[in-house]
Amino acid sequence: MTLTLTGCGSGPAGGDVTLKLIAADYGDRASNSSEHYWDELTRAFEKKNPGIKVDVEVYNWTDVDKKVEELVKAGHAPDLAQAGAYADYAAKGQLYSTDKLLSIPTEADFTPSLAEAGEYERVAYGMPFGASTRRLFYNKKLFDEAGISDPPQSWNDIVKDAELLKEHGVKMPFALPLGPEETQAETLIWMLSGGGGYTDNIGKYTIDSPENVKTFEWLQKDLVGKGLTGTDPAKLNRADAFQGFADGEVGMLNGHPTLMKQAEDNGIDYGTVELPGKNGKAKATMGVADWMMAFKAGGHRKETGKFLDFVYSKKNVLKFSGDYGLLPVTTSASQAMMADDKYAKLHGFLEQLAHAEFYPANKTSWPLVSKTIKAEMGGAVGPEGNPYGVLSDIQNLADAEDNAVR
């Protein structure tokens, strides 16, 4: 799906500048497509800045990164792209650093953990746009029917509760989506809950760490091996797991804020808690950020910066986050959301954002590593899987790719 929006007017005239933006669609149907958000925002911006036009093309998430890549390779880089990755373009010197674009108040307003995640070699190029954290969702009705009074706080609790749910006929006691759609997310969630992660505190890959190996051996033996996932995790995609929860067929799963509306639309009574860890609450949750980046090729630095200052105003960040059930990426909008009871269900997710851990998106090796994780991790926890072997293979690939790009 491609949606093209042209701001007020028919195009550049006289001294006018037209900015080109490629953006991702956060909606799940035509009525809530991001087209509507950008249409309203660009019209408001152009009214205040009559010399600048903004053309927006909205693509679904399956296509947006590929479209940006194609445009850049063809020598037609957009002025702005709002997509999933920025590091490759930063490494090639194709992006403006944020200090060349944003006013000081705007740049200083980014949530610190997100601002840091947008740095390549200690220089900020990626501007966070949409953010989320993960919590464990559970179906209150199914828990009540199975005689479970409290949500799980540890891995042992997960197994115990999943076994009770299974005994009471729940189709999928714990949904474990390690299918190719978003395996890299579910993988990191479990790594963090087991005390590990993708990288250490200096950014070196630790994919095959003892903690990570033990985590996936536990998943293989105690969750998948006991039939508590209801289906082969390698064939279950995140979207299907979410739909299963919304259909009342899933007892519990790891989810992000947009699952709340999906569940509510289907009348599911649910609760959320911090991610259970090996022996209690997980050390951290996973955070995900999508990125805005500005390409140098068009030469519209001043106009692009003016538009971005408008995009990242408190009002606009809060509206976007509220419309799509995401977390604000700025301190001012986060404070406004926390102070508003209208967003009470997002507060638990938002409180976790400051200490969340993110994908190593600042590494140019990450796209290949992520792609490999998507292809391999589901099979690692199956009956014939070898968690240590798979994690070691991915570690070796990650190290080789890091060494190759230096």
Side-chain angles (χ1 to χ4, degrees):
M1 177 179 65
T2 310
L3 302 165
T4 305
L5 314 175
T6 303
C8 303
S10 57
D16 287 356
V17 165
T18 298
L19 301 177
K20 184 73 170 183
L21 166 63
I22 303 295
D25 194 358
Y26 288 83
D28 57 9
R29 61 186 76 92
S31 61
N32 69 353
S33 166
S34 298
E35 172 190 10
H36 305 296
Y37 175 79
W38 287 113
D39 190 28
E40 185 177 331
L41 185 143
T42 55
R43 288 176 185 276
F45 172 77
E46 289 176 359
K47 189 174 181 179
K48 290 185 175 182
N49 300 273
I52 308 173
K53 310 293 182 186
V54 184
D55 289 350
V56 185
E57 286 185 15
V58 178
Y59 290 82
N60 65 39
W61 272 107
T62 306
D63 300 326
V64 66
D65 285 292
K66 182 181 177 184
K67 180 61 179 179
V68 175
E69 183 181 351
E70 288 173 351
L71 287 170
V72 173
K73 282 184 177 178
H76 302 297
D79 295 286
L80 289 157
Q82 182 270 303
Y86 67 87
D88 272 353
Y89 304 115
K92 294 172 184 174
Q94 296 171 325
L95 303 180
Y96 288 116
S97 58
T98 60
D99 62 336
K100 300 289 196 296
L101 296 163
L102 304 174
S103 66
I104 291 174
T106 299
E107 188 174 22
D109 198 24
F110 286 131
T111 300
S113 61
L114 292 170
E116 185 178 344
E119 293 179 358
Y120 174 74
E121 295 187 345
R122 299 186 181 277
V123 177
Y125 295 96
M127 291 160 276
F129 190 74
S132 66
T133 59
R134 299 299 193 268
R135 289 170 71 83
L136 183 132
F137 283 68
Y138 62 99
N139 184 311
K140 290 184 176 181
K141 179 184 177 184
L142 296 181
F143 267 51
D144 287 344
E145 290 173 351
I148 305 168
S149 56
D150 298 304
Q153 302 291 317
S154 68
W155 288 0
N156 285 339
D157 293 342
I158 286 176
V159 171
K160 181 182 64 178
D161 294 346
E163 288 175 337
L164 289 169
L165 290 165
K166 184 180 179 182
E167 288 173 12
H168 281 76
V170 176
K171 183 177 178 181
M172 204 174 293
F174 195 107
L176 184 65
L178 291 173
E181 179 195 357
E182 205 179 40
T183 327
Q184 80 285 4
E186 192 72 14
T187 297
L188 180 54
I189 290 169
W190 284 102
M191 286 179 170
L192 292 171
S193 72
Y198 281 135
T199 59
D200 60 19
N201 56 13
I202 60 170
K204 186 179 186 305
Y205 282 115
T206 54
I207 292 167
D208 65 350
S209 69
E211 293 84 2
N212 291 341
V213 172
K214 288 177 183 175
T215 292
F216 282 89
E217 287 177 343
W218 178 86
L219 284 171
Q220 181 187 40
K221 176 175 175 283
D222 290 288
L223 210 60
V224 182
K226 292 179 180 178
L228 301 178
T229 59
T231 188
D232 180 358
K235 296 178 180 176
L236 181 65
N237 280 327
R238 190 268 312 163
D240 296 325
F242 278 22
Q243 188 59 53
F245 188 80
D247 290 340
E249 298 177 344
V250 172
M252 47 186 160
L253 78 171
N254 299 317
H256 55 65
T258 57
L259 179 55
M260 294 190 295
K261 186 175 188 306
Q262 192 174 349
E264 287 163 6
D265 286 348
N266 281 26
I268 299 298
D269 186 14
Y270 68 90
T272 74
V273 292
E274 292 180 53
L275 298 179
K278 190 173 183 179
N279 299 305
K281 291 179 182 178
K283 69 166 187 174
T285 188
M286 183 185 78
V288 173
D290 306 316
W291 303 101
M292 180 76 79
M293 63 197 110
F295 288 88
K296 295 176 179 177
H300 300 140
R301 181 181 65 84
K302 181 180 176 183
E303 296 84 0
T304 298
K306 186 172 285 190
F307 178 61
L308 287 170
D309 279 339
F310 185 78
V311 168
Y312 285 106
S313 68
K314 179 173 73 172
K315 174 186 173 184
N316 287 329
V317 171
L318 188 60
K319 174 172 172 48
F320 173 79
S321 303
D323 283 354
Y324 294 103
L326 293 166
L327 305 180
V329 297
T330 62
T331 301
S332 61
S334 295
Q335 290 172 343
M337 180 174 278
M338 286 298 294
D340 192 337
D341 288 341
K342 179 172 72 173
Y343 302 110
K345 290 185 177 179
L346 283 168
H347 289 173
F349 293 91
L350 186 53
E351 287 166 351
Q352 299 177 152
L353 185 59
H355 305 291
E357 296 199 17
F358 297 85
Y359 300 138
N362 58 342
K363 296 169 78 68
T364 56
S365 56
W366 173 242
L368 177 60
V369 173
S370 176
K371 180 180 178 181
T372 307
I373 290 166
K374 288 180 179 182
E376 302 294 335
M377 285 311 300
V381 298
E384 306 301 321
N386 180 354
Y388 173 75
V390 171
L391 290 168
S392 294
D393 287 348
I394 299 173
Q395 176 75 42
N396 291 336
L397 177 141
D399 288 340
E401 187 71 6
D402 261 3
N403 291 332
V405 298
R406 283 187 184 130

